[in-house]
Amino acid sequence: MDMKEQLRACILKGIEGCFADGTLTSGVVPAINIEKPAHQEHGDFASNVAMQMAKAERKAPRAIAEIIVNKLAGSSDLIKSLEVAGPGFINFFVKDDAWRMILQDIDQAGEQYGKSKVGAGRKVQVEFVSANPTGPLHIGHGRGAATGDAVASLLLAAGFDVQKEYYINDAGNQMNTLGLSGLLRYKELLGEKIEFPENCYQGGYMKDIAREVITKHGDRFLNVSQEEGVAFFAKFGGDVILKGIDEDLQDFGVRFDNWFSEQSLFDQGKVDSAVKEMQEKGLIYEQDGALWFKTTDYGDDKDRVVVRSNGVTTYFASDIAYHRDKFARGFDWVIDVWGADHHGYVPRLKGVVQGLGRKADDLGIILVQLVALLRDGVPVAMSTRSGEFVTLKEVVDEVGRDAARFFFLMRRSDSQLDFDLELAKRQSADNPVYYVQYAHARIKSIFETARERGVAPDFSGGVNLQLLESADDLALVKKLSLFPETLESAAVNFEPHRITYFLQDLAGEFHSFYNKSRVIIPEEPELTRARLFLLHCAAITLKNALTVLGISAPERM
RNA sequence: GCGCCUGUAGCUCAGUUGGAUAGAGCAACGGCCUUCUAAGCCGUAGGUCAGAGGUUCGAACCCUCUCAGGCGUGCCA
């Protein structure tokens, strides 16, 4: 039980005690809030129960607080002192010993420190990237990849049973366009004069694909029908591109548990059956020769076409079938990571989910905003139309996986992100990645020195934690203690950036500690051991936090 | 037109889901290496939380309106 829980239980008991002896009379116990005050002077924790009870008790908040404080005095060995402050807050000061005990928890938990069981094994699926197999991943996909991967591992750490999935849009018009693009480049390379349409894929990778076909198959596709040629290049190109996407993701440290093909939904008749189910439920109706889904029932601006008047299904039809299939596969919770430009699709998909008989919240949607690429503060020009976009691979090759992931996760996914390539490469405190990793490496270096000097960091014989009594010792301990709740809230809110902020905060606390406090002190072996134990716990926390984001914790820098 | 998102220090952004005196990093200025990694630390300065109303003990956060920017609003994917 963590400190907040203990305090909550303690307050509850106190209030009930007050009711019992008549010092409080309403008999109504509000939800007990425990928060961390912004200012140190306000204690380690504070509660606003007295203010919440004011109305029911018909007493001034401060008077109620006094009554509760009197009842609480000496009731818990966690509490050093408590006071009434401000408009009626009860401030709690926790005993130093209680703080220091946390170190033993951290040591004991090791790699598990910070993890929780709130997920209770519920099955959750995170679907992300899902870029069309019509070109290499660009930097925007990179942010989606980092975010989806981090959210998945956060949820895993929070006790969920997580699957990561990539949805392959291998059906529909864009595959024909891909096939045509390849075929035309192929003909061009073989000397035919061609007109390359504007809506075809302009990137240089199409020529690479055409070249590959020439080496493997020669010029035989010059003599087949347009239809056959397009079909071949669509399949061949799609496969090559998807393989490249997978490689780029692996270099970025992202691996999927499942790759799900849109085409498979058609092949297995799942699109038809999904449409049929919705029709039977009366959620799909016919008008102007097309079939429409009543998304307006769920807050959408207008109803949406599922099957066009020419009989061809829309992308939305696939989406209905896909999400129906996800739930049919037994997921309790389904999470989609989308580019923010798709935000208009949220009501529509939420409608589908409800139409399937699920709660709207069973589908979680994370919208990831644009990335603005900079070099030394100057925007890097990008244009998707001309195919001159910066790829994920280029960025990872230039700045490295760790820096790229950290930068992608530095901001709330909802807000736009400036990604400065030069800053990401810089090896100084300006660069938050190095700042954080350096903290870990520095601790490891201290242990190295300790070993060299024969101060073996073996804690099995017990450590005298009482010696950790300086303000800096305790400040570091308190920072470490925040990790579990930070991790949990980052997970359930889909907010990996809380971890990057926590890391910078913790690294700062450590660097500050390091500058003020000596760890290895030959004439004080017991204190040396205690401080080494503290840093051992700091290293565990730093490493666990970095790991959950998919970033390495170097031993040496 | 309608809908969604954003607006916090010169810049880039946090702000524990309504708490006490709004925080960090850059940039600026001034200090700290004979010491376990200076890829580091300490200090100074910087604010009408876009604006105006409202809700209550209490608002950057919730409601209404206004302004500014971005995105969406296909029988495209």
Side-chain angles (χ1 to χ4, degrees):
Chain A
M1 188 156 61
D2 67 17
M3 287 186 183
K4 276 190 184 177
E5 287 304 320
Q6 290 184 54
L7 285 177
R8 193 169 287 132
C10 180
I11 293 170
L12 182 63
K13 219 172 126 199
I15 291 174
E16 281 167 352
C18 292
F19 289 148
D21 63 23
T23 44
L24 290 177
T25 54
S26 69
V28 181
V29 185
I32 296 171
N33 264 314
I34 309 279
E35 59 181 41
K36 270 180 298 297
H39 299 277
Q40 243 183 341
E41 318 85 73
H42 294 141
D44 294 310
F45 297 97
S47 179
N48 61 351
V49 266
M51 281 129 85
Q52 290 179 303
M53 293 177 77
K55 201 166 271 178
E57 290 290 334
R58 298 177 182 209
K59 279 200 177 84
R62 285 194 65 107
I64 299 169
E66 291 288 355
I67 293 168
I68 296 173
V69 163
N70 285 335
K71 179 61 76 180
L72 256 42
S75 72
S76 164
D77 50 10
L78 190 63
I79 300 171
K80 178 162 66 182
S81 64
L82 61 177
E83 64 184 19
V84 177
F89 287 103
I90 301 173
N91 292 340
F92 296 86
F93 294 82
V94 172
K95 285 182 180 167
D96 292 349
D97 273 342
W99 284 117
R100 290 189 280 248
M101 292 298 281
I102 287 173
L103 295 178
Q104 292 181 345
D105 297 343
I106 297 175
D107 173 52
Q108 203 171 1
E111 286 181 7
Q112 301 300 311
Y113 179 60
K115 296 188 180 174
S116 72
K117 294 191 167 63
V118 285
R122 287 208 317 160
K123 279 189 73 177
V124 52
Q125 186 208 54
V126 185
E127 179 225 318
F128 58 106
V129 188
S130 300
N132 289 346
T134 55
L137 297 178
H138 60 251
I139 187 166
H141 296 123
R143 189 178 185 190
T147 303
D149 200 46
V151 167
S153 79
L154 282 167
L155 289 169
L156 186 68
F160 289 88
D161 178 7
V162 186
Q163 189 204 49
K164 296 186 278 185
E165 181 158 291
Y166 187 115
Y167 180 54
I168 310 164
N169 295 117
D170 53 0
N173 287 340
Q174 83 275 9
M175 294 312 287
N176 286 324
T177 307
L178 177 71
L180 179 61
S181 306
L183 181 62
L184 289 174
R185 288 305 188 202
Y186 173 83
K187 288 180 173 174
E188 184 181 40
L189 285 170
L190 290 173
E192 280 191 24
K193 197 167 161 59
I194 58 144
E195 190 108 341
F196 201 75
E198 202 176 314
N199 68 342
C200 275
Y201 297 106
Q202 309 285 330
Y205 58 90
M206 287 312 312
K207 291 182 184 169
D208 298 338
I209 288 169
R211 230 170 260 127
E212 200 176 326
V213 172
I214 292 171
T215 20
K216 280 190 179 152
H217 302 280
D219 63 358
R220 55 177 278 220
F221 290 103
L222 288 180
N223 304 314
V224 302
S225 69
Q226 167 101 355
E227 197 182 16
E228 191 184 327
V230 167
F232 171 81
F233 275 92
K235 176 83 175 77
F236 187 92
D239 288 349
V240 168
I241 289 169
L242 201 59
K243 189 158 168 284
I245 286 174
D246 189 18
E247 283 167 7
D248 290 352
L249 286 169
Q250 291 204 25
D251 288 344
F252 191 45
V254 175
R255 278 170 189 277
F256 285 90
D257 301 309
N258 196 34
W259 296 71
F260 191 97
S261 154
E262 179 186 2
Q263 185 60 45
S264 76
L265 291 167
F266 288 98
D267 297 344
Q268 295 169 30
K270 288 178 175 173
V271 178
D272 287 344
S273 62
V275 170
K276 192 167 290 173
E277 180 186 330
M278 292 304 173
Q279 261 176 316
E280 281 162 5
K281 287 185 171 176
L283 292 168
I284 286 180
Y285 63 93
E286 189 178 343
Q287 188 184 310
D288 303 331
L291 294 182
W292 300 71
F293 192 108
K294 286 206 246 174
T295 52
T296 45
D297 283 3
Y298 304 100
D300 203 358
D301 299 336
K302 49 174 287 195
D303 293 339
R304 307 291 170 178
V305 170
V306 175
V307 181
R308 287 176 257 172
S309 51
N310 64 6
V312 179
T313 60
T314 61
Y315 181 81
F316 183 44
S318 301
D319 258 348
I320 296 170
Y322 180 41
H323 285 81
R324 178 175 178 250
D325 188 74
K326 290 186 186 194
F327 287 112
R329 280 185 271 159
F331 292 108
D332 301 302
W333 199 16
V334 162
I335 295 160
D336 292 2
V337 180
W338 296 347
D341 52 340
H342 286 73
H343 68 81
Y345 296 73
V346 174
R348 190 177 313 188
L349 257 292
K350 291 270 186 184
V352 168
V353 168
Q354 290 169 85
L356 290 166
R358 312 285 307 206
K359 292 195 301 265
D361 283 346
D362 288 352
L363 172 67
I365 296 172
I366 303 173
L367 298 172
V368 179
Q369 271 288 1
L370 296 176
V371 179
L373 202 58
L374 309 175
R375 191 175 285 284
D376 266 334
V378 182
V380 176
M382 279 190 282
S383 159
T384 321
R385 197 174 308 155
S386 64
E388 290 171 22
F389 45 79
V390 176
T391 63
L392 172 61
K393 182 178 165 50
E394 287 167 332
V395 172
V396 173
D397 285 350
E398 180 169 347
V399 309
R401 178 202 289 191
D402 285 343
R405 289 187 81 119
F406 195 96
F407 269 66
F408 281 133
L409 297 173
M410 228 164 23
R411 303 287 176 236
R412 226 171 65 231
S413 51
D414 224 347
S415 69
Q416 288 199 14
L417 171 71
D418 284 349
F419 191 131
D420 195 311
L421 291 164
E422 292 305 320
L423 175 59
K425 282 192 293 185
R426 205 171 298 157
Q427 303 198 348
S428 74
D430 302 2
N431 185 344
V433 190
Y434 283 91
Y435 183 78
V436 171
Q437 289 184 319
Y438 182 51
H440 186 264
R442 227 176 184 184
I443 293 173
K444 292 297 169 180
S445 164
I446 294 170
F447 273 82
E448 190 60 39
T449 307
R451 267 188 290 276
E452 282 165 12
R453 297 190 189 173
V455 193
D458 170 22
F459 305 119
S460 56
V463 177
N464 185 359
L465 296 179
Q466 304 276 335
L467 299 173
L468 297 175
E469 56 186 359
S470 78
D472 297 304
D473 292 333
L474 290 165
L476 188 49
V477 172
K478 289 178 184 180
K479 195 65 75 183
L480 297 177
S481 77
L482 295 177
F483 184 50
E485 62 196 79
T486 305
L487 190 55
E488 189 178 315
S489 73
V492 300
N493 292 301
F494 311 143
E495 292 182 333
H497 75 277
R498 293 194 191 202
I499 305 295
T500 57
Y501 273 89
F502 172 76
L503 275 165
Q504 293 179 78
D505 211 24
L506 173 54
E509 197 69 56
F510 162 73
H511 287 308
S512 172
F513 167 90
Y514 177 89
N515 261 266
K516 283 185 251 172
S517 313
R518 187 136 277 275
V519 178
I520 300 171
I521 311 169
E523 55 278 18
E524 293 189 67
E526 283 303 299
L527 178 59
T528 299
R529 278 162 54 74
R531 290 239 163 105
L532 282 172
F533 189 68
L534 170 60
L535 292 197
H536 160 71
C537 293
I540 287 173
T541 308
L542 282 167
K543 185 170 184 177
N544 290 0
L546 284 166
T547 302
V548 81
L549 300 181
I551 299 168
S552 72
E555 305 275 314
R556 200 172 300 200
M557 287 172 76

